[in-house]
Amino acid sequence: MSTTRVVAGAGADAGAARRWHLLDTGALLEREGIAPVGTIVAVHGNPTWSYLWRGLVAASLDRARRGGTAWRVVAVDQLEMGYSERTAVTRGLPQRIADLGALVDDLALTGRLVTIGHDWGGPISLGWAVRNGDRVDAVSVLNTAVHHPAGMPLPAALRVAGARSLLAATTVKTTAFLDTTLALADPALEPEVRAAYRAPYATSALRRGIGAFVADIPATPEHPSTPALDELAGGLVDLAVPALLLRGPRDPVFGEHHLDDLARRLPHADVHRFEGAGHMLAEERPYADLVLDWLDDNRIATPQADGDDAEASRVVADPEGEDDTDPGQTSDQAPFAPIWQRLADRRDDDDTAVVDLTRSSAGGPLSVSWRELAERVNQLAAGFADFGIRPGDRVSLLVQPGPTLTAVLYACLRIGAVVVVADRGLGVRGLSRAVRGTEPSFVIGERAGLAAARALAWPGRRISAPQLPGAAARALGVEASLAEIATRGARGTLPAAPTADDEAAILFTSGSTGPAKGVVYTHGQLSALRDVLGAHFDVTPDVGLVTGFAPFALLGPALGTRSATPRMDVSAPRTLTAVAVAEAVRASRARIVFLSPAALANVCATAGRLSDDDRAALAQVRTFLSTGAPVGIDLLRQAHDLMPAAEAHTPYGMTECLLVTDVTLDELERAQSAPDAGICVGTPIGSGDVRISALDTDGRATGELAADPHVAGEIVVSAPHLKRGYHRLWATDREAVRGTGSVAGRWHRTGDVGHLDAEGRLWVEGRLPHVIVTADGPVTPVGPEQRIEKLGTVRRAAVVGVGPRGRQVCIAVLETARGARQPGLASPELTDQIRAASDLEIAAVLVVPVLPTDIRHNSKIDRSRLSGWAERVLAGEKPSAP
């Protein structure tokens, strides 16, 4: 595959013959009798060489040999780099684009043509594609940029390396720049891989190209390569072929703003961010199969019939990778009513809209009328538009739930801005990843949030929720306060409203099963959520709603009913007490109470503090709901004792589809006699649907979507309010709809496992990553855990797998009723009890003071973390907190 080719020079190199080194799979495919559908031209950056693309070479050959789509891969060593010729020519960006063109012409490639580039290989490959739009069929790039914002300094590493006094020393005379680049890979490169990257650059003479590349960074308008980069950046908007943008976010060279710029210039592009990866993405993540899958999905290899119009054959894929024909309205549905419609309908109503028990006014809780709220929303909406927030701009909201956040949220939605909501439960690192990953244009926050944004260098123009003193505002980079925005808006006009298909919000998952993901909702999908919630729970204007669950704390105005926020830290559910719920019910005359499982647990635990008046208030509640994580029947019974007139519900859902199924306490009581393992979560809500993709013997969900009873598999859901997709996670979107095309509608693989019973009720048995694959087949954890938890000696249990997949053994990890002082092996007596109760072959039983759970719900056990901990403990490591 390693070969050399002599090519006639181009541009300033015209008249010369240059020797190129290539990795080329063409001859190998020919020897094996495999006809490629086309060629992927792979272009490395600085200071790497064609070795960078060995994973793509291997993956493409493997697929071709297994009968998949066969692509020829030509990975180049750019002139002055790798094992290609060193010359005396100064090769700036225009020359390097011409060099690549000369090579492509010389190769006389046939069939489809795809380019892929990394680092400097990005603008070079894209530059050639822009100039040859009629010849290229698709483009892809990894961690690159085509434009650097004016006024923003270059990354520190490039400033140091590019300084005149240090350029030669860091890039040519020594291997400092090369070593620094290789050190960016995480996990660290193996010694033989580092040696391979260094091999072509053993001497100063061989490293001249590294220094020339750094010197060619167009840091000023006067730089010789600036016009070529500007031409490329401007021309991308007309490049209408499928595009794939891949990024490792932990990149000190190319920031999120570079990806955002590329995505704006290629709005049809598919984007995937590999959370945790960095600049050396090709060494850190399995990108190659993703690229080949993407080419297949976009039908790049579809054969052209004789006489076909080549331009017509180039398919620009749906950027979400799924059917979007029903984003919120179908022909048999009522006309689209935006999420703020009922607030607008009550704009002349002086009745109470929002009560905030966490804030006081005139000696009582803060209360806002419908008239006041509608007026404030309109003022802020017009003010935001005047301030420069445009439709599609992402706005990060760092404001505590309450009337202020409600007004800001609805104002942003009204003007078509995309609100970014990530709660503090993600922690500083998780919250920072979420904000940076969305690259918001604006940040609206309270002082603490703005201070964090400043300290962590989050992007976006700043607006403060409170009116800050001048010095504080300047220190935090605040340009205006909400009061000032509202004043501007009082004399402004509202822009046109967004449509049902427009993006409305990016809501971040809890991060309890991996890095938090941004879930994208359209206006139509948010409105569909409002409608199904209102219809299923019979929410009327006079019913009132108390919510201690952040995702639903903002829905009261959308439902046209009073809403109250109780005294609590919404990002810490366990801070809610029974007294606080009773106080909120009294203040808002609410008949519906909506709590997270952790909040509900603490409410029940603090019931002894209730007064007679408190109990009388709770007796007026007619419906209470707890969702966000499975809720045990004992906890629901305790809650029902506090609200005896209420029907108890525990809906099942996730950030991607906030309401899927629902079950009442009465239905759960009847289900107790069923033989089914897992937690019964009821039947689908509204027009939603649930299917099961059966598990195979390896614990993978490979079955067709079906509603057959008592078949364990991945839970797959469909509903009008199902999310559009994930923010810049193309591969995750693809996996979420894998194998669902044979059933009509928009579907989502939840990652949960369970089954349907003969009555159509759904039973949840755990998470797909937590399925234990033993030598006898897959084991789902929730059923055995439930059986163990029936023992009086056990407070809570987790069953996890240890060992290689396919030969895993089951381990039980417990919180005991008496409470373990330190983690370690359970007593022989307790171990025997657990083995007998579980109806499962348990290899060992461990006890811990507290099982690790997620922050948002304080109830989802982190079984993946426990599995790794248990394996280390059983291998002899001293037990510590998991």
Side-chain angles (χ1 to χ4, degrees):
M1 289 187 294
S2 179
T3 185
T4 58
R5 191 176 187 95
V6 177
V7 178
D13 218 8
R18 298 303 184 192
R19 178 179 50 80
W20 290 72
H21 175 259
L22 312 172
L23 292 182
D24 185 352
T25 63
L28 183 58
L29 291 172
E30 184 177 4
R31 284 200 303 271
E32 297 187 20
I34 301 173
V37 298
T39 303
I40 301 173
V41 177
V43 187
H44 68 85
N46 187 33
T48 57
W49 55 288
S50 57
Y51 180 72
L52 177 80
W53 304 109
R54 68 195 184 280
L56 181 61
V57 167
S60 67
L61 288 172
D62 180 62
R63 289 200 180 201
R65 288 163 174 159
R66 289 187 289 111
T69 306
W71 288 96
R72 176 185 180 186
V73 176
V74 176
V76 309
D77 283 7
Q78 298 196 59
L79 294 172
E80 326 299 337
M81 303 293 287
Y83 290 102
S84 285
E85 184 177 351
R86 269 54 170 176
T87 75
V89 176
T90 299
R91 298 186 187 277
L93 178 59
Q95 181 60 45
R96 290 200 174 276
I97 295 173
D99 291 341
L100 181 62
L103 174 65
V104 171
D105 290 344
D106 186 78
L107 287 167
L109 301 174
T110 59
R112 304 295 190 171
L113 197 155
V114 176
T115 65
I116 185 169
H118 169 251
D119 187 80
W120 262 111
I124 293 167
S125 61
L126 291 174
W128 181 86
V130 164
R131 294 180 183 181
N132 295 271
D134 59 334
R135 299 170 62 186
V136 70
D137 293 278
V139 296
S140 178
V141 291
L142 290 66
N143 284 59
T144 192
V146 299
H147 174 74
H148 191 74
M152 181 176 287
L154 289 174
L158 294 182
R159 290 201 306 273
V160 171
R164 283 184 180 274
S165 59
L166 296 174
L167 178 62
T170 57
T171 61
V172 179
K173 293 180 180 179
T174 72
T175 60
F177 187 80
L178 174 60
D179 294 340
T180 299
T181 302
L182 298 180
L184 295 177
D186 184 15
L189 299 178
E190 295 294 328
E192 59 270 22
V193 175
R194 292 197 301 272
Y197 273 116
R198 290 192 180 103
Y201 304 115
T203 68
S204 295
L206 294 173
R207 291 193 293 269
R208 286 201 307 268
I210 296 177
F213 252 128
V214 174
D216 195 42
I217 298 171
T220 66
E222 296 75 27
H223 192 282
S225 287
T226 296
L229 197 64
D230 290 344
E231 175 195 352
L232 160 60
L236 277 182
V237 297
D238 297 319
L239 189 64
V241 298
L244 177 64
L245 312 178
L246 303 180
R247 170 167 163 74
R250 295 178 60 188
D251 187 343
V253 181
F254 298 111
E256 210 70 45
H257 55 280
H258 290 121
L259 175 63
D260 212 45
D261 174 76
L262 271 170
R264 281 195 298 267
R265 297 176 192 277
L266 293 167
H268 63 278
D270 294 307
V271 183
H272 189 82
R273 299 170 72 257
F274 292 87
E275 198 62 64
H279 182 72
M280 295 292 287
L281 177 59
E283 297 292 347
E284 299 176 54
R285 295 293 187 272
Y287 79 97
D289 280 317
L290 187 154
V291 171
L292 297 172
D293 286 341
W294 176 80
L295 290 173
D296 284 345
D297 287 1
N298 280 272
R299 304 189 298 281
I300 306 301
T302 302
Q304 293 181 356
D306 291 341
D308 276 356
D309 183 340
E311 189 62 34
S313 70
R314 294 181 172 84
V315 180
V316 175
D318 171 5
E320 299 301 336
E322 59 184 67
D323 178 11
D324 252 354
T325 57
D326 178 21
Q329 178 181 348
T330 60
S331 58
D332 60 347
Q333 289 179 323
F336 166 66
I339 190 77
W340 62 83
Q341 185 63 56
R342 291 173 193 172
L343 171 60
D345 291 343
R346 300 190 68 173
R347 61 185 176 273
D348 297 324
D349 191 339
D350 290 315
D351 196 5
T352 299
V354 177
V355 181
D356 186 0
L357 279 298
T358 67
R359 295 172 174 84
S360 60
S361 176
L366 178 62
S367 178
V368 179
S369 72
W370 291 100
R371 184 191 301 273
E372 291 168 330
L373 181 58
E375 181 180 13
R376 189 67 165 181
V377 167
N378 285 345
Q379 289 174 347
L380 288 174
F384 287 151
D386 183 69
F387 186 71
I389 301 180
R390 298 290 178 258
D393 283 346
R394 292 185 289 276
V395 181
S396 179
L397 303 182
L398 304 176
V399 182
Q400 282 280 19
T404 299
L405 177 58
T406 301
V408 170
L409 174 76
Y410 284 89
C412 289
L413 293 174
R414 171 60 186 81
I415 63 173
V418 180
V419 295
V420 178
V421 181
D423 68 43
R424 290 186 302 167
L426 294 177
V428 174
R429 291 181 61 187
L431 186 59
S432 189
R433 281 197 302 266
V435 173
R436 285 182 172 278
T438 56
E439 188 70 12
S441 300
F442 299 87
V443 176
I444 303 174
E446 294 165 344
R447 187 191 289 257
L450 294 171
R454 183 74 170 185
L456 298 170
W458 292 345
R461 296 172 64 188
R462 310 292 203 262
I463 299 172
S464 63
Q467 184 75 49
L468 298 176
R474 288 190 294 274
L476 295 174
V478 170
E479 296 183 44
S481 67
L482 288 179
E484 292 165 340
I485 293 289
T487 299
R488 295 170 71 155
R491 54 181 183 271
T493 56
L494 288 171
T499 70
D501 293 346
D502 290 331
E503 287 188 7
I506 301 174
L507 311 179
F508 275 85
T509 62
S510 66
S512 59
T513 55
K517 300 181 288 291
V519 179
V520 178
Y521 277 90
T522 66
H523 283 269
Q525 289 152 3
L526 286 183
S527 295
L529 171 63
R530 171 204 61 201
D531 294 342
V532 73
L533 180 65
H536 185 72
F537 295 107
D538 192 22
V539 181
T540 58
D542 62 341
V543 74
L545 173 67
V546 169
T547 178
F549 187 47
F552 288 94
L554 302 164
L555 277 175
L559 292 163
T561 195
R562 292 181 307 280
S563 57
T565 305
R567 295 183 194 276
M568 67 176 297
D569 179 349
V570 177
S571 65
R574 285 178 175 164
T575 61
L576 182 62
T577 65
V579 172
V581 173
E583 178 189 30
V585 168
R586 254 195 318 271
S588 61
R589 311 186 307 281
R591 296 296 175 262
I592 300 178
V593 173
F594 205 134
L595 306 176
S596 72
L600 185 63
N602 201 56
V603 166
C604 293
T606 57
R609 305 174 192 172
L610 292 169
S611 67
D612 290 343
D613 286 345
D614 293 334
R615 292 186 179 277
L618 293 177
Q620 301 302 308
V621 176
R622 65 170 177 78
T623 305
F624 78 84
L625 304 84
S626 186
T627 190
V631 183
I633 192 169
D634 290 338
L635 181 58
L636 288 176
R637 288 166 177 159
Q638 293 175 49
H640 188 261
D641 289 342
L642 296 180
M643 295 171 273
E647 185 174 59
H649 292 257
T650 175
Y652 162 73
M654 62 287 304
T655 308
E656 294 85 347
C657 191
L658 288 164
L659 291 172
V660 176
T661 65
D662 181 38
V663 65
T664 65
L665 176 57
D666 289 343
E667 291 167 337
L668 283 176
E669 296 283 11
R670 290 195 295 273
Q672 291 301 292
S673 59
D676 300 77
I679 298 171
C680 180
V681 294
T683 54
I685 294 173
S687 60
D689 197 0
V690 174
R691 303 288 176 94
I692 301 296
S693 174
L695 299 179
D696 61 20
T697 56
D698 293 325
R700 299 173 301 175
T702 56
E704 294 291 327
L705 303 194
D708 300 333
H710 307 298
V711 176
E714 184 175 14
I715 299 167
V716 189
V717 303
S718 177
H721 53 283
L722 174 65
K723 50 85 177 168
R724 167 175 281 181
Y726 293 108
H727 179 67
R728 294 184 176 173
L729 290 171
W730 177 85
T732 309
D733 272 330
R734 183 177 189 270
E735 175 59 23
V737 299
R738 173 182 55 82
T740 64
S742 61
V743 183
R746 299 169 52 251
W747 293 88
H748 168 69
R749 288 182 174 271
T750 65
D752 289 337
V753 289
H755 70 274
L756 296 165
D757 65 17
E759 298 179 38
R761 297 176 301 193
L762 177 64
W763 296 71
V764 178
E765 300 180 55
R767 291 284 298 168
L768 189 59
H770 302 158
V771 171
I772 304 161
V773 185
T774 71
D776 296 324
V779 173
T780 56
V782 171
E785 290 168 356
Q786 289 176 315
R787 291 191 288 271
I788 292 171
E789 288 170 354
K790 289 180 180 179
L791 294 173
T793 52
V794 176
R795 179 176 176 270
R796 197 158 51 158
V799 174
V800 299
V802 168
R805 191 174 181 86
R807 296 199 303 270
Q808 287 182 310
V809 295
C810 297
I811 307 297
V813 187
L814 316 176
E815 288 179 17
T816 60
R818 297 181 61 182
R821 292 186 177 182
Q822 58 187 18
L825 286 170
S827 68
E829 294 78 14
L830 180 57
T831 298
D832 290 341
Q833 292 176 18
I834 299 304
R835 285 173 172 158
S838 68
D839 194 26
L840 190 68
E841 189 171 334
I842 299 288
V845 179
L846 302 172
V847 295
V848 294
V850 180
L851 289 168
T853 60
D854 66 301
I855 297 174
R856 180 183 289 181
H857 305 294
N858 299 134
S859 58
K860 292 182 179 179
I861 296 173
D862 190 341
R863 295 186 184 91
S864 297
R865 178 174 164 186
L866 271 181
S867 177
W869 173 82
E871 188 151 8
R872 293 192 300 272
V873 169
L874 295 174
E877 183 178 294
K878 182 179 179 180
S880 58

